[in-house]
Amino acid sequence: ARAFSSCHSLDLEAARRKRIEAVRGQILSKLRLSAPPSDPPPGSAFPIPEEIRALYNSTQELLQQRARSLPPQDPQDYYAKEL
């Protein structure tokens, strides 16, 4: 019966690879690139300027201070209330 069948078996792995390549192509197209950018060598991270690092750290400290100063929310405030 298999010899007379005109249906081909579906290779799910091949279909998955084709879909991944199609999505990669779409992403590259949106970024207007012809090929993916090369990966930088490990350990050669872009240095962050000290001003940016200081701004980030001060923002994090401010957010932590605000979170500590806020009173804990009452669980009843979560539920709808009748007027």
Side-chain angles (χ1 to χ4, degrees):
R2 279 193 148 188
F4 297 110
S5 174
S6 62
C7 295
H8 299 285
S9 65
L10 181 61
D11 185 3
L12 294 177
E13 188 60 32
R16 182 177 161 274
R17 283 193 303 266
K18 279 186 177 182
R19 181 68 186 140
I20 290 172
E21 287 303 315
V23 170
R24 281 187 184 144
Q26 290 172 348
I27 292 171
L28 290 173
S29 173
K30 289 283 185 186
L31 296 174
R32 296 183 181 175
L33 297 174
S34 58
S38 62
D39 290 334
S44 65
F46 182 73
I48 299 172
E50 191 56 39
E51 299 85 19
I52 302 294
R53 187 183 311 270
L55 179 62
Y56 174 80
N57 289 337
S58 66
T59 303
Q60 289 296 337
E61 290 171 8
L62 179 64
L63 290 173
Q64 289 172 359
Q65 288 174 357
R66 283 185 182 173
R68 283 190 296 262
S69 67
L70 290 175
Q73 284 196 344
D74 183 20
Q76 295 300 322
D77 287 343
Y78 177 78
Y79 301 102
K81 295 182 179 179
E82 293 182 22
L83 298 176

